[in-house]
Amino acid sequence: MYYAIILFGFAVNPCCYYPCQNSGVCVRFGNDHYQCDCTRTGFYGDNCTVPEFRTRIRLLLKPNPSFAQYLLTHFQWFWDLLNNSFLRDTVMRLVLTSRSSLIPSPPTHNTKYGYLSWESYYNTSYYTLLLPPVPEDCPLLMGTKGKQTLPDPKVLAERFFKRKKFRPDPQGTNLMFAFMAQHFTHQFFKSNHEVKAGFTKAFGHGVDASNIYGDTLERQHQLRLHKDGKLKYQLVHGEVFPPTVSEAPVYMKHNRVCDILRAEHPTWDDEQLFQTTRLIIIGEIIKIIIEDYVQHLSGYFLKLKFDPTLLFNERFQYSNRIALEFGQLYHWHPLMPDSFIIDGEEVTYSQFIYNTSLLTHHGVEKLVDSFSRQAAGQIGGGHNSHEVVLKVAEMTIKESREARIQPFNEYRKKFNLKPYTSFYEFTDDPEMAKGLEELYGDIDALEFYPGLMLEKTRPNAIFGESMVEMGAPFSLKGLLGNPLCSPEYWKPSTFGGETGFHIVKSATLQNLVCHNSKWYPYVHFRVSKKEQEMNPRKQSTEL
């Protein structure tokens, strides 16, 4: 502690140094003393750095994240064999348990409380925080490392986030994926910007389809037709579309399922038809997200499987709270292109944003087909955010500071990743490394969101190691922690019988579109090989 007093001229809260490793909890005693609570971390010692015997064995046997990623994305012949054997369930269970165990349930911290409290658990108007916020009495905003003042968010966005030239994602991600990501996450990322950072307007903390049904009971009733369990709709040239904006925007997928249930259950009233259909829709969403969306994002040759029964004999809690860090890492705006190509026509941002006439003019099929064929941008590595969405990066950095989110390297440790020792190790762009070093002064002062977005990408991947290793646990815990996936819910009667259960278990992205359209467009989260082989510039203008 003597060093801290000499360095800053006053006694420093020792927890500002993040002394407790391996998820140990720092508790301050007096001005300059602390203890690390190492309970159930698998480590002991003053700073929870000495592994217990079982931990030592586990660490010896566990492959590092880079090696595991390499295995899962290479040797396709091996994974083809495994995907058709009983071992698929075993590996899938291992993936689910190893990822989900990194996310605490019940929640631990929020932006107000850096220690366990009833308020952190009970008050769901907060986003939770995986790591406690930086103590307010630390000498620097990131603790004790770096410069006295953090870089201007606008400077960071302009120098490191702003697109120089559109860089397509080497994994072949398309705009269909980008818009699915936006639509899907808006049911649980609903930050309340009218109050201090870290608050949400959402009542649910997971997949509840509130982006379709409304996030309040009042809104839900405004959307409902109150007949046959259906939602409101309008007919345009004989085609079914969501109602006008004055009534409420909804997707019509719900009404098709209502008709199926009504045929099976003619005695059911409007309320039971509506509520059961909603459960089916939620189940379909989870299956599509795991088996199509996450499958594409992972790049794994292991064929991911949505089967809640895999966890029925595991230690698993069916609850979830959305973390602010999860909301921050999901700001994937580099996906957005320079312009949109719809049915061979170029559409600028000014023509695209808030223009619902594009839907009625072109129809759902042409929009899906066009978005599935147009490449999205690579998320990681920096220099790939269109200027139209650059403000989002600035806002996210400001939100992170208001919430006092810990530095990027502390999250690397939390997710069992080796912290970076320099900016030149962090990025393979020497100019960026030099610029970040000038602005931050120390790699241990690099902020969470810039760290995720600017980190060097894995070879031929959409983003870097940290985004994968941090994002996957949040995603899988949120999806499988849904009550629908619990033993009490996961049964035919929940969905109105075997027919409804089959709708959930057979859901795919292709079925979602083709069951709700007149003709079958090309629908995928990856551009076709033909489009991938095209020149990136040609992709953005001649699709």
Side-chain angles (χ1 to χ4, degrees):
M1 295 303 108
Y2 177 74
Y3 172 74
I5 296 171
I6 295 298
L7 183 62
F8 294 105
F10 55 88
V12 174
N13 178 351
C15 294
C16 293
Y17 289 90
Y18 312 116
C20 305
Q21 305 300 303
N22 301 302
S23 297
V25 178
C26 183
V27 182
R28 185 181 186 182
F29 291 88
N31 286 330
D32 57 359
H33 290 83
Y34 71 92
Q35 286 183 4
C36 291
D37 185 349
C38 308
T39 305
R40 286 183 291 278
T41 63
F43 293 83
Y44 64 95
D46 289 344
N47 294 331
C48 308
T49 55
V50 183
E52 297 172 356
F53 178 74
R54 290 178 62 182
T55 303
R56 196 181 300 273
I57 298 300
R58 177 176 59 82
L59 293 175
L60 285 172
L61 297 176
K62 183 181 178 180
N64 67 54
S66 295
F67 182 66
Q69 179 75 10
Y70 181 84
L71 288 178
L72 287 161
T73 55
H74 291 75
F75 314 109
Q76 184 172 357
W77 62 269
F78 169 78
W79 293 109
D80 286 344
L81 290 173
L82 185 142
N83 288 332
N84 292 294
S85 74
F86 70 94
L87 290 174
R88 180 189 175 196
D89 284 358
T90 302
V91 176
M92 189 67 205
R93 185 182 297 109
L94 179 62
V95 169
L96 294 174
T97 54
S98 62
R99 295 293 197 186
S100 299
S101 64
L102 292 168
I103 306 301
S105 183
T108 49
H109 311 290
N110 60 29
T111 54
K112 182 175 177 63
Y113 298 98
Y115 49 87
L116 294 190
S117 67
W118 185 253
E119 185 74 4
S120 292
Y121 164 75
Y122 184 77
N123 190 343
T124 58
S125 62
Y126 282 102
Y127 286 118
T128 186
L129 277 179
L130 185 64
L131 291 181
V134 176
E136 290 182 320
D137 58 354
C138 290
L140 301 175
L141 285 174
M142 289 291 100
T144 59
K145 299 287 186 70
K147 297 195 173 182
Q148 190 69 39
T149 305
L150 289 172
D152 184 338
K154 185 175 179 64
V155 171
L156 288 172
E158 290 285 339
R159 286 187 63 178
F160 307 116
F161 285 77
K162 188 176 181 179
R163 177 171 292 160
K164 294 181 176 179
K165 181 182 178 181
F166 176 71
R167 191 171 69 246
D169 170 40
Q171 284 184 217
T173 302
N174 58 26
L175 292 191
M176 186 67 186
F177 176 91
F179 290 127
M180 184 67 170
Q182 182 182 42
H183 174 64
F184 167 68
T185 59
H186 278 193
Q187 64 193 300
F188 45 77
F189 293 148
K190 297 180 179 180
S191 296
N192 190 343
H193 296 294
E194 296 178 2
V195 295
K196 185 180 176 182
F199 286 85
T200 174
K201 293 184 289 187
F203 285 89
H205 276 257
V207 180
D208 60 4
S210 59
N211 53 339
I212 298 173
Y213 298 103
D215 53 9
T216 66
L217 186 59
E218 179 185 13
R219 179 68 170 150
Q220 179 193 117
H221 283 292
Q222 290 172 344
L223 290 163
R224 288 174 62 176
L225 187 63
H226 293 293
K227 182 181 178 182
D228 299 330
K230 293 186 177 182
L231 297 171
K232 293 176 182 176
Y233 61 93
Q234 63 171 317
L235 293 175
V236 179
H237 304 304
E239 293 188 53
V240 177
F241 284 96
T244 58
V245 174
S246 62
E247 294 196 48
V250 294
Y251 286 103
M252 291 297 99
K253 178 175 181 291
H254 171 98
N255 288 359
R256 184 187 68 83
V257 177
C258 274
D259 287 334
I260 295 172
L261 284 183
R262 188 159 60 96
E264 289 234 331
H265 304 282
T267 61
W268 281 12
D269 61 11
D270 168 73
E271 190 68 21
Q272 188 165 5
L273 286 169
F274 171 81
Q275 297 295 349
T276 305
T277 298
R278 180 171 184 170
L279 292 178
I280 291 172
I281 299 301
I282 293 172
E284 286 189 272
I285 290 171
I286 296 174
K287 184 174 187 296
I288 291 169
I289 292 300
I290 289 178
E291 294 193 0
D292 288 291
Y293 180 96
V294 177
Q295 180 75 65
H296 165 72
L297 204 58
S298 70
Y300 291 173
F301 287 133
L302 167 67
K303 190 175 180 181
L304 301 183
K305 182 179 183 181
F306 173 52
D307 182 0
T309 65
L310 293 176
L311 296 178
F312 284 178
N313 294 320
E314 300 294 327
R315 181 175 171 267
F316 192 81
Q317 291 181 304
Y318 293 96
S319 62
N320 187 60
R321 282 282 293 278
I322 297 298
L324 183 59
E325 298 101 332
F326 188 34
Q328 288 241 322
L329 70 80
Y330 231 120
H331 284 78
W332 293 348
H333 293 78
L335 288 168
M336 291 293 98
D338 290 333
S339 61
F340 305 90
I341 311 302
I342 302 176
D343 198 21
E345 298 178 6
E346 184 171 12
V347 179
T348 63
Y349 277 86
S350 61
Q351 297 169 315
F352 185 86
I353 298 175
Y354 303 122
N355 183 6
T356 56
S357 67
L358 289 170
L359 175 61
T360 53
H361 175 70
H362 292 283
V364 171
E365 295 85 359
K366 284 185 179 179
L367 288 182
V368 168
D369 191 85
S370 298
F371 294 153
S372 295
R373 296 180 186 279
Q374 185 174 356
Q378 187 179 34
I379 295 171
H383 298 308
N384 207 25
S385 290
H386 191 281
E387 60 183 359
V388 170
V389 296
L390 210 56
K391 272 286 184 183
V392 178
E394 295 179 42
M395 292 170 59
T396 307
I397 294 169
K398 291 176 182 177
E399 178 188 62
S400 176
R401 294 175 185 180
E402 290 173 6
R404 308 195 317 281
I405 292 179
Q406 286 194 27
F408 177 62
N409 258 346
E410 293 307 311
Y411 282 92
R412 293 270 302 176
K413 297 175 189 176
K414 177 64 178 178
F415 285 93
N416 303 317
L417 300 171
K418 182 182 176 184
Y420 287 112
T421 57
S422 73
F423 288 103
Y424 293 90
E425 181 188 16
F426 164 76
T427 175
D428 50 16
D429 181 342
E431 185 179 343
M432 180 183 290
K434 181 180 179 182
L436 289 171
E437 189 170 50
E438 290 172 354
L439 292 173
Y440 282 102
D442 194 305
I443 186 65
D444 286 333
L446 179 63
E447 296 171 273
F448 178 70
Y449 179 67
L452 286 166
M453 299 300 291
L454 304 179
E455 180 184 32
K456 61 187 176 186
T457 61
R458 279 172 163 164
N460 300 312
I462 191 168
F463 34 48
E465 175 185 62
S466 300
M467 186 75 82
V468 175
E469 300 302 319
M470 297 180 194
F474 282 121
S475 296
L476 293 176
K477 177 61 176 70
L479 293 166
L480 274 299
N482 192 287
L484 277 188
C485 301
S486 68
E488 289 75 18
Y489 277 71
W490 189 250
K491 58 185 71 172
S493 56
T494 301
F495 308 98
E498 289 293 347
T499 298
F501 205 20
H502 175 73
I503 293 174
V504 173
K505 293 193 289 186
S506 62
T508 65
L509 177 65
Q510 284 74 18
N511 287 345
L512 172 66
V513 173
C514 294
H515 287 170
N516 296 279
S517 57
K518 294 183 300 182
W519 52 273
Y520 295 169
Y522 171 67
V523 52
H524 210 283
F525 287 142
R526 186 190 305 274
V527 294
S528 67
K529 289 185 177 180
K530 179 181 178 181
E531 270 86 21
Q532 285 190 63
E533 292 168 358
M534 293 174 67
N535 181 289
R537 176 61 186 165
K538 191 176 180 182
Q539 279 197 30
S540 66
T541 59
E542 297 183 13
L543 279 180

